[in-house]
Amino acid sequence: MKKKMLALSIFLFGFLGTLNLVRAQATDNKIQEVFINSGDGFGELRKLLKDNFDFTNQDYKEGVVNSDVRFSLSEDGKITNVHANGDCKNVSKEIENVLSHIIYKVDMEKMSQKMVASSYVMPVSVTIDNR
């Protein structure tokens, strides 16, 4: 009788463990991203990006270059994990360089609850004039 109870207990624990594993994998575990629009309180960051961007590089694509910049904020508001993707890889590299080396901290207390996230996406458009 003890062997049957032991086998039943092992089977039951194994079944429940498998069920929990399947349920955990079925859960939507996406990282929350907030898309930043022009009026979302990151205007100062946009201005610093514009002021520190090097427009003199000859390798930039001419015209309007659109990029999406993904970044995270540390607990103290420092910008980390900057990755840009867009129409021109050289413009994207410059955006990454500027935002990675800029001395800027977001005031986390001023951000609304809907703006607190793991990752932020900021669209950036740069116009490169004819040379």
Side-chain angles (χ1 to χ4, degrees):
M1 182 71 173
K2 285 186 177 182
K3 288 184 180 180
K4 286 184 180 181
M5 290 296 283
L6 180 63
L8 182 61
S9 297
I10 291 173
F11 173 75
L12 186 59
F13 285 120
F15 177 73
L16 291 176
T18 304
L19 184 63
N20 281 337
L21 181 65
V22 169
R23 191 172 359 152
Q25 290 178 352
T27 304
D28 189 18
N29 292 326
K30 290 184 179 179
I31 295 175
Q32 179 187 0
E33 288 184 339
V34 171
F35 286 88
I36 300 172
N37 296 319
S38 59
D40 283 342
F42 284 84
E44 185 179 1
L45 179 62
R46 288 180 184 277
K47 183 178 181 333
L48 288 170
L49 176 61
K50 182 184 81 167
D51 292 344
N52 291 291
F53 193 89
D54 177 19
F55 288 95
T56 62
N57 190 332
Q58 296 295 318
D59 296 329
Y60 295 155
K61 176 181 160 186
E62 292 181 4
V64 177
V65 179
N66 295 308
S67 297
D68 284 330
V69 183
R70 293 183 184 330
F71 60 90
S72 302
L73 295 177
S74 64
E75 290 180 8
D76 64 348
K78 180 122 173 75
I79 297 172
T80 60
N81 302 325
V82 179
H83 300 286
N85 188 13
D87 299 339
C88 177
K89 67 179 181 175
N90 295 316
V91 170
S92 295
K93 284 182 187 178
E94 179 65 15
I95 292 170
E96 288 177 4
N97 184 40
V98 169
L99 290 180
S100 295
H101 295 95
I102 202 165
I103 299 173
Y104 177 77
K105 287 187 179 180
V106 175
D107 187 357
M108 299 300 280
E109 293 179 6
K110 287 185 178 179
M111 293 183 67
S112 66
Q113 189 63 29
K114 69 176 184 157
M115 286 294 295
V116 176
S118 301
S119 181
Y120 297 85
V121 179
M122 182 171 70
V124 176
S125 293
V126 179
T127 302
I128 307 297
D129 290 332
N130 294 337
R131 296 182 180 90

